[in-house]
Amino acid sequence: QVQLVESGGGLVQPGGSLRLSCAASGMGSRLYAMAWYRQAPGKQRELIAVISSAGSTTYADPVKGRFTISRENAKNTVYLQMNSLKFEDTAVYYCNTVVQARAYWGQGTQVTVSS
């Protein structure tokens, strides 16, 4: 059974940084694309960053140039480095992957940007 566990969220001031982690298990030895989504209060969940099994990355425009997704395959972990955080980055952040056509989600980690 695939499990994703996020960590690293918290309260940060505008302009600050956080690094989120997503520890994956149950995926066997094959590598899969991994993604980070976020959902702000009253808004739909949005895709913000993807990393392929080969390590190529794509970003949504609101986070491009500020966020970096990376993976450490030996630890089955994906990271989201978030710099220059803004009030509008406040959301619950979710890790996601698709294995054999089934989507898996972590429980989410809260990021709050506030002064």
Side-chain angles (χ1 to χ4, degrees):
Q1 180 74 3
V2 174
Q3 287 192 316
L4 304 174
V5 180
E6 302 99 334
S7 61
L11 175 65
V12 63
Q13 292 186 338
S17 298
L18 280 176
R19 188 178 81 155
L20 307 183
S21 299
C22 171
S25 61
M27 297 172 65
S29 59
R30 181 176 173 181
L31 296 179
Y32 294 88
M34 303 290 294
W36 284 97
Y37 286 72
R38 69 184 181 186
Q39 187 166 19
K43 295 188 176 182
Q44 288 189 331
R45 192 171 296 189
E46 63 173 341
L47 175 64
I48 57 171
V50 180
I51 186 165
S52 73
S53 58
S56 61
T57 59
T58 57
Y59 299 93
D61 286 344
V63 306
K64 201 172 292 184
R66 299 187 298 123
F67 291 10
T68 302
I69 187 171
S70 61
R71 63 191 303 158
E72 190 171 356
N73 294 330
K75 294 186 176 181
N76 295 317
T77 300
V78 176
Y79 304 99
L80 185 69
Q81 178 67 44
M82 305 186 295
N83 298 328
S84 302
L85 283 161
K86 305 176 180 180
F87 292 117
E88 52 263 42
D89 293 319
T90 294
V92 179
Y93 284 70
Y94 297 92
C95 183
N96 163 271
T97 191
V98 176
V99 177
Q100 296 181 344
R102 178 177 173 180
Y104 293 88
W105 299 88
Q107 82 286 355
T109 186
Q110 176 71 47
V111 172
T112 302
V113 184
S114 175
S115 55

